[in-house]
Amino acid sequence: MTQRPDNSESGRPELLAGYVDGELGPADRATIEAWLAEHPAGRAELEAQRALSRQNVVLWKRVAVPQPSESAWNKTLGRVCDGIRPSTPAVRYHEPESARRRPGTWKHWAVGLATAVALAFVSWSWLVPGGVPRPGDSNLAMADVFAVASNDDVDIESLQGDIGLLVVGRPVLGGPIELATVGDIVFEAIASDTDLQPSKPTGVPTDPKKTLLLPPIDKSTPVPVP
Amino acid sequence: MLQANNPRARGVHTGRSVRPVMAAATAPHPPVVPTDDQLVGRAALGDRSALDELFRRFRQPAYRVAYRLLGQEADALDAVQEAFVKVLLHLDGFQGRSSFKTWLLRVVSNSALDLGRKRARRGVLPAESDEDGDPDPGVLTIDDPTRGLENADLRRALDAALAELPDVQRQTFVLHVDGDLSYKEVAEVLGISIGTVMSRLFYARQKLKAALTPHVMP
């Protein structure tokens, strides 16, 4: 468990870190120096901060990160270049002449013709009555259009702000929930609450598969007679 | 032979002959080193050499940050690669509000943390070997193998202690120490106040010092 140094007069123990790193303004620096003069024991905490600061060059040299080989660097650069190929619109690199399209080949004509046929079909479907799929049409493959991302498809790039807790994982509910209604509940009693909290009915849903969600009730809420 | 009082003559009298002195205007110019912003601009237009130079300039701090967060070379290189791809794909959106370095380190630290979480979810333990399958040599010194082992032990202890910190403290600490960022730059990278940076560093160091106490700290 971390301990706060007894610099209650300064009120901000973290100032010791800023002092060690030379990041304090003159006023805060003077505060810390005055506090250290009156609390010599605080120097131990100051040295603890200094031991793990950038100033401790000896430490950081001893625990220096081992370096990759030049071939590992070259492979990484190669993969970076592969990752930003001209297929992405943000960065365009000069392609060799041979990679550019040559107009007039039969393949291009075939692709163009197929595209035109597809466009014509879609247009006909929209123009002809009954040709447009209606919502609720069982033949409509909505699932293919609205693909839902799974957990593994999402990468969190950054978290803005001081996030204290981020819960990740699969939802506790395996699927859609069906809420219980008033008619699904057998009321056993109305519990009176002396803690100035709204009274709550107690009971269980007749169908255990349904999730019981009840708001607090007050005297004006009609209570069904079982 | 040139005469010294000839105003049109320029030379240094060396005794036997006069060596003409080349005017300063003809001296070779030192190579112009492009700034980071210039490289970013050129890379955004597709200049491969600018991309290579950006990679060469910033791969070290990016790798140090990633390695300290992940603890092994292969994953650290993956995080560096992913970060460079992300920033290079979005260069046209880089408006220069921050430096390229702080932007890159933000992306690489987040990539490293994400990779670490995925690895933890998959139950994959950090490998003890480097990319080529050889045992991680740590920081070994040829002249004193014993010292090298001590250093490797200390580094592993530090890595383990760092892994115990909350993500926010670990990220702040690593960006400041291994990324060599000032408080202001760390605050900018993480979108927090300088006071919060200071606080996180203070408590991170307290915990690290406690964890490293059994080891001989310089």
Side-chain angles (χ1 to χ4, degrees), chain A residues 3 21 62 67 90 156, chain B residues 60 89 114 151 176 183 206:
Chain A
Q3 295 179 353
D21 294 326
R62 285 184 62 187
Q67 287 298 306
I156 299 174
Chain B
Q60 283 293 350
L89 285 177
D114 290 343
N151 290 342
H176 176 64
Y183 279 24
Q206 273 197 336

Side-chain angles (χ1 to χ4, degrees), chain A residues 2-4 17 21 23 49 54 56 62-64 67 79 84 90-93 155-157 162, chain B residues 46 51 60 63 68 81 88-89 110 114 118 139 151 176 180-181 183 198 200 202-203 205-206 218:
Chain A
T2 57
Q3 295 179 353
R4 291 175 175 264
D21 294 326
E23 293 271 359
Q49 291 290 311
R54 287 199 302 221
N56 193 349
R62 285 184 62 187
V63 298
Q67 287 298 306
R79 287 197 291 264
I84 55 173
V91 178
R92 295 185 300 279
Y93 283 80
D155 286 333
I156 299 174
E157 288 197 349
D162 194 352
Chain B
L51 182 156
Q60 283 293 350
Y63 177 75
R68 202 68 81 184
Q81 172 204 325
L88 291 171
L89 285 177
N110 288 331
D114 290 343
K118 286 181 189 173
V139 181
N151 290 342
H176 176 64
D180 201 25
L181 296 182
Y183 279 24
M198 207 181 307
R200 288 183 186 177
F202 175 79
Y203 291 111
R205 286 171 183 160
Q206 273 197 336

